[in-house]
Amino acid sequence: MLEQRLSSSVRETVRDARLPTGPPPRLSRRAWWFDVLVALALGITTVYYGIDNTNNVVVREIAPGVRYVVPRPAGPGGMALMVTLAIVASGALALRRRFPLTVLCVVTVAVLATPQSVMRLTFYAFVIAVYSAAVHSPYRVATLAALPVSVLMVGTSGNSVTPIIPNEYIALLILVPMAGAALGLRTWKLRTDEGRTRLSDLERQQAEALRRAVEHERARIARELHDVVTHNVSVMVIQAGAARKIMQTAPEQAGEALLAVEASGRAAMTELRHVMGLLTMADEGEETYGGGDLADTAAELAPQPGLDELDTLVGRVRNTGLPVELTVTGPPRPLPPGVELTAYRVVQETLTNTVKHASGATAAVTIEYSPERLRIEVTDTGGHPGAGAAAGNGRGLIGLRERLAVYDGTLNAGRRHTGGYRVEALIPLEAP
């Protein structure tokens, strides 16, 4: 059982060693040229060092009166060997970021193949290869296993007579890593500061986007309130005024007018519940309306008005005394709820303006379906301003243009040459 667990652990370790633990290194053109220049500079230096040390005999004094002759590779074969090792070890560094672990293995083999008398020929390339594997290799498990092995093999390949690192270079090799570490800390600090700056900018942008979204939502709710309140209240005012005038002489007609006021009030309350639902959370809505009757709940859950409710809208306007003709051309087809609501609001706002500003006129509503667009046209023949005309502020048409702009629609409004007013809205549609 224990052997099976060990075997399974070994298999998992080998499998994990072959899998990258991070993304592959991303090499820019500048980094590529830098690596090529490093490899070229080190290659030229080590080739010169190898040629200079060929056929030379170095005598080292290892003790007072005791000298040791260091053999060097001699002849053309020795020169070719050292030049080849220098070129292989240094040239491999050109790929140190793209294939860091492979470069480490190649340079390690070159170092071990280098004669002990000229170990410096490939040692400096080995230092760079070890650093590159530690920093750039995405295979962290394999790297952590290969680095100690490579360092141990190379570190034990020298001897006391021919050390890999000359004594005069020890201080340099200590100071260079310290300088590199200091540079790395400085770079890390700069990047951290840049990251904090970017994070602060992102937070400001998100706050600004949230503020704009809140403003857009407030504007949308304001448009809904304007359309709901203006239309229904205008109809209720006109019906209540008519009922007051004929209450004594025609009580039955006054009763019908009051029923129209009641219907308009109920319609206004239903639509207001929709708008208020945008401002309250689900739990708040249950707490507020939970005690209502089933009729209120059903009205609250009813969908937003669409083009199929234009007959009801036109009927309420007719009850105010404004003759309205509704015409639908083209085969009707289902539209997105937002487009349906926008088209309904166009007709509602325009008829409300007609009731307020063109008392005594007649109106016509045309809905035209086509494969490319939906066309809404509302016209009136002109009349005299009603009692609520002075309360207008021009926000109605502005709100309609904003609604239509959401769906790339356009609104054209203006006086007709034959008298009266005309409003035309065009909403692009996707082909059915």
Side-chain angles (χ1 to χ4, degrees), residues 140-380:
R140 309 308 300 171
V141 177
T143 302
L144 291 176
L147 281 177
V149 174
S150 300
V151 172
L152 182 62
M153 293 174 65
V154 172
T156 58
S157 62
N159 53 57
S160 59
V161 178
T162 57
I164 296 175
I165 306 173
N167 294 333
E168 60 270 21
Y169 294 158
I170 293 294
L172 180 63
L173 290 181
I174 294 175
L175 293 175
V176 167
M178 292 179 63
L183 181 61
L185 288 175
R186 178 177 178 274
T187 303
W188 172 79
K189 185 177 182 302
L190 291 176
R191 290 182 178 177
T192 302
D193 294 340
E194 292 176 358
R196 290 176 179 173
T197 302
R198 287 196 297 269
L199 181 60
S200 299
D201 293 340
L202 182 60
E203 290 177 350
R204 285 195 295 270
Q205 292 175 4
Q206 290 178 343
E208 180 66 20
L210 179 61
R211 185 186 62 81
R212 289 196 299 267
V214 170
E215 291 179 353
H216 291 328
E217 186 66 12
R218 287 175 177 173
R220 187 170 74 90
I221 295 173
R223 289 195 301 267
E224 289 288 337
L225 287 173
H226 174 274
D227 294 340
V228 171
V229 173
T230 302
H231 170 74
N232 289 286
V233 172
S234 297
V235 171
M236 292 168 66
V237 168
I238 292 175
Q239 293 284 5
R244 178 180 57 81
K245 293 179 180 179
I246 62 175
M247 184 174 297
Q248 300 295 332
T249 58
E252 294 181 358
Q253 295 182 7
E256 293 178 358
L258 291 176
L259 288 176
V261 171
E262 181 182 359
S264 297
R266 290 184 178 275
M269 290 300 298
T270 300
E271 295 195 43
L272 282 174
R273 285 194 182 98
H274 286 293
V275 177
M276 296 305 296
L278 300 174
L279 302 175
T280 56
M281 303 297 290
D283 54 350
E284 294 176 355
E286 294 173 0
E287 181 180 349
T288 303
Y289 300 107
D293 56 16
L294 294 178
D296 291 339
T297 304
E300 180 184 348
L301 298 177
Q304 289 278 64
L307 294 178
D308 55 345
E309 298 187 26
L310 284 182
D311 289 331
T312 303
L313 173 65
V314 169
R316 288 202 302 266
V317 175
R318 286 171 181 162
N319 290 335
T320 65
L322 175 67
V324 182
E325 179 182 357
L326 175 62
T327 305
V328 179
T329 62
R333 59 189 177 100
L335 301 176
V339 174
E340 290 255 358
L341 178 61
T342 299
Y344 180 89
R345 295 302 188 203
V346 169
V347 177
Q348 183 186 54
E349 175 66 21
T350 307
L351 289 180
T352 301
N353 289 338
T354 302
V355 170
K356 291 166 58 177
H357 301 281
S359 179
T362 59
V365 179
T366 302
I367 308 296
E368 180 183 340
Y369 291 89
S370 67
E372 298 84 12
R373 68 184 185 182
L374 175 69
R375 177 174 171 270
I376 305 105
E377 183 185 54
V378 182
T379 60
D380 64 68

